[in-house]
Amino acid sequence: MIQGLAIGIIFILYGLLLYLVPPKSIKSFYAYKTTSSLKSERRFKVANAYVSLLLMIFGVVLLAIARLTGSFTATGIATLVVFILIYILVERKLKNM
């Protein structure tokens, strides 16, 4: 169960990092980088701001899943689903810009 909780905590901490210390440029080591987010500085900033919030929200969801199920497998599967959801949500937001 501790490993499952750790996944949620890592998501929350990484989301906080992106929120409190957003990447300054496209060349930053820690950032959300996809073809669509790298098209302009504005899109890059919007994508990273949005992904920081999503990471924190889904981190709490993953903590709840880990706590309720006590299963690392369930948390691992949920983590894969969360990665896909984050990608879809951010790319959809960028597409609508």
Side-chain angles (χ1 to χ4, degrees):
M1 181 166 94
I2 291 175
Q3 297 93 345
L5 292 173
I7 292 171
I9 291 168
I10 289 168
F11 268 62
I12 293 168
L13 292 176
Y14 187 55
L16 277 171
L17 173 70
L18 282 173
Y19 182 77
L20 297 174
V21 187
K24 302 242 186 286
S25 75
I26 291 173
K27 295 180 183 181
S28 294
F29 174 71
Y30 64 99
Y32 179 83
K33 297 178 189 178
T34 61
T35 304
S36 59
S37 70
L38 296 175
K39 285 184 178 179
S40 73
E41 190 71 29
R42 180 174 180 269
R43 291 170 74 97
F44 179 76
K45 288 181 180 184
V46 167
N48 280 282
Y50 191 48
V51 90
S52 73
L53 295 175
L54 291 175
L55 283 168
M56 290 185 278
I57 291 167
F58 283 120
V60 172
V61 171
L62 290 172
L63 278 175
I65 290 170
R67 181 75 172 109
L68 293 173
T69 65
S71 166
F72 181 71
T73 303
T75 307
I77 292 168
T79 302
L80 292 175
V81 171
V82 163
F83 275 124
I84 294 167
L85 279 173
I86 288 173
Y87 177 79
I88 290 169
L89 291 170
V90 174
E91 293 303 311
R92 184 177 295 164
K93 184 171 185 80
L94 292 174
K95 184 178 180 183
N96 293 329
M97 285 182 64

